[in-house]
Amino acid sequence: MRRMLFLSCFLSSLFVPLVRAQVPEYKISCHRSRDHNPAQKQKLWDGYEVSLGPARNTQGDGDNCTAAIYNAAGKVVFRTTGYSVVFDHIDTGRDFDGDGTPEVVFKTDTGGGNHCCWAYNIVSLSPKPRKLFDIDEEGLVRFEKDDAGKMVIWKFTGGPGGFTSEARRPFAQKVFRVRDGKLVDQTPEFCTQILSDADEEFRDDSRQLTPENIKRLPAGPKWDFDLEDIVSAFLSRALQLVFCRQYEQAMNFLDQWPAASRPEMKKGFAQSIQQDYPEFAARLLSSPDTK
């Protein structure tokens, strides 16, 4: 599933018309690749209204489309601008922050369509209009409610490159809740499920991670197209262990990589997680085979 998902995502940056039918059909949208982008409006609630369309005085370099929320007095209370912008009527109306009131959701492309550079923009109108947070859409993003009716956000997050093509870049799942209007990483709470056969991605990776396949991991610096499914599964599993804060297991797992290319792999892996997991990244860089 993950392979097809990210291959489709990668191809969408190259062949937009070909894959357009695979993504939701948003009723109000503006795309830089579209010849005609009419200005459109949508009434919300409590007197608020969405206006979306081509940006005025655009330079054509990331400011092609814009969307704004106006209050009843005609004042702009929120605006987003990008190569493309859509009003997400599917997720608008969900209560993301648990305050009992609905949110407004846009999707903004700030990367020109390259490699799925879209982000969800979550906007609250109560008690006053404000953006709560953005959710980068590197890969699949899924919104669910738990048994208590609270929002749970599942987000595929990319890992290290260099040993696979972009279409098979390693990804693993993070899970967020919303606390005080902010995203909070709660991934370890869900790892019993994620790291089990109940999870489709875990099952798919496990089919690749046989002892025989692990012995085939590349000992040299160049990636091999014939091996990239194995490499992607291996690095995705290690990445998931890190996201689950299972650092000992992650280190032991990474140490199965062939010794000849292990230093380069660990350095690339450490770089990809440095910002969110600095202590484990430092541990990777200080291990005997990377010195």
Side-chain angles (χ1 to χ4, degrees):
M1 174 183 169
R2 181 174 58 222
R3 179 177 186 178
M4 296 307 298
L5 171 67
F6 296 114
L7 180 60
S8 173
C9 186
F10 173 71
L11 290 175
S12 69
S13 69
L14 304 176
F15 306 106
V16 174
L18 178 65
V19 300
R20 187 170 293 157
Q22 300 178 18
V23 299
E25 184 63 34
Y26 294 108
K27 299 176 181 178
I28 298 179
S29 63
C30 173
H31 294 270
R32 73 161 184 168
S33 60
R34 194 162 57 198
D35 292 334
H36 180 57
N37 285 296
Q40 299 169 283
K41 294 184 177 182
Q42 173 69 50
K43 291 189 179 298
L44 297 173
W45 51 87
D46 297 336
Y48 291 99
E49 183 178 70
V50 168
S51 177
L52 187 151
R56 295 180 181 178
N57 303 317
T58 176
Q59 300 299 309
D61 186 24
D63 62 349
N64 308 64
C65 298
T66 189
I69 299 176
Y70 289 83
N71 63 17
K75 179 182 178 181
V76 174
V77 296
F78 172 80
R79 181 177 295 278
T80 182
T81 300
Y83 288 95
S84 302
V85 180
V86 302
F87 170 62
D88 185 351
H89 68 282
I90 298 171
D91 294 304
T92 290
R94 292 177 179 264
D95 179 9
F96 281 80
D97 58 1
D99 67 351
T101 63
E103 268 70 61
V104 184
V105 182
F106 295 98
K107 293 182 69 176
T108 304
D109 170 24
T110 58
N114 295 320
H115 310 311
C116 306
C117 295
W118 289 79
Y120 287 90
N121 319 120
I122 313 300
V123 183
S124 175
L125 299 178
S126 178
K128 63 180 181 180
R130 68 202 186 283
K131 182 172 76 172
L132 294 178
F133 44 77
D134 293 331
I135 306 171
D136 292 333
E137 194 182 20
E138 292 179 90
L140 177 68
V141 176
R142 190 169 79 247
F143 304 125
E144 295 181 350
K145 289 293 185 74
D146 64 14
D147 292 340
K150 301 297 184 181
M151 179 64 69
V152 179
I153 301 168
W154 295 73
K155 178 181 179 294
F156 275 88
T157 303
F163 281 92
T164 67
S165 64
E166 184 66 24
R168 291 298 288 125
R169 180 186 174 194
F171 275 79
Q173 300 177 79
K174 287 189 174 184
V175 190
F176 297 88
R177 293 186 183 275
V178 182
R179 299 279 190 265
D180 299 323
K182 298 180 180 180
L183 287 177
V184 179
D185 187 348
Q186 296 291 118
T187 305
E189 176 186 344
F190 298 86
C191 285
T192 299
Q193 171 187 340
I194 294 172
L195 295 171
S196 76
D197 286 335
D199 184 84
E200 181 179 359
E201 306 305 329
F202 183 89
R203 296 196 305 271
D204 287 347
D205 288 343
S206 294
R207 282 190 281 269
Q208 295 289 340
L209 297 174
T210 63
E212 294 76 18
N213 278 349
I214 289 178
K215 291 178 181 178
R216 297 175 61 202
L217 289 168
K222 300 295 185 180
W223 67 270
D224 184 333
F225 181 82
D226 293 331
L227 298 178
E228 68 172 0
D229 282 352
I230 302 171
V231 173
S232 179
F234 184 93
L235 294 176
S236 295
R237 178 64 58 81
L239 188 67
Q240 191 65 69
L241 290 169
V242 172
F243 290 173
C244 289
R245 313 295 202 276
Q246 298 182 15
Y247 299 136
E248 289 299 327
Q249 295 91 324
M251 181 64 78
N252 292 336
F253 190 81
L254 289 170
D255 282 340
Q256 296 181 76
W257 190 275
S261 57
R262 193 183 302 151
E264 180 183 357
M265 179 275 292
K266 283 188 175 180
K267 289 176 183 177
F269 196 99
Q271 183 178 12
S272 74
I273 63 169
Q274 175 69 45
Q275 181 174 349
D276 293 333
Y277 308 93
E279 292 183 3
F280 186 70
R283 181 176 172 184
L284 282 175
L285 295 174
S286 64
S287 59
D289 50 14
T290 57
K291 290 182 178 180

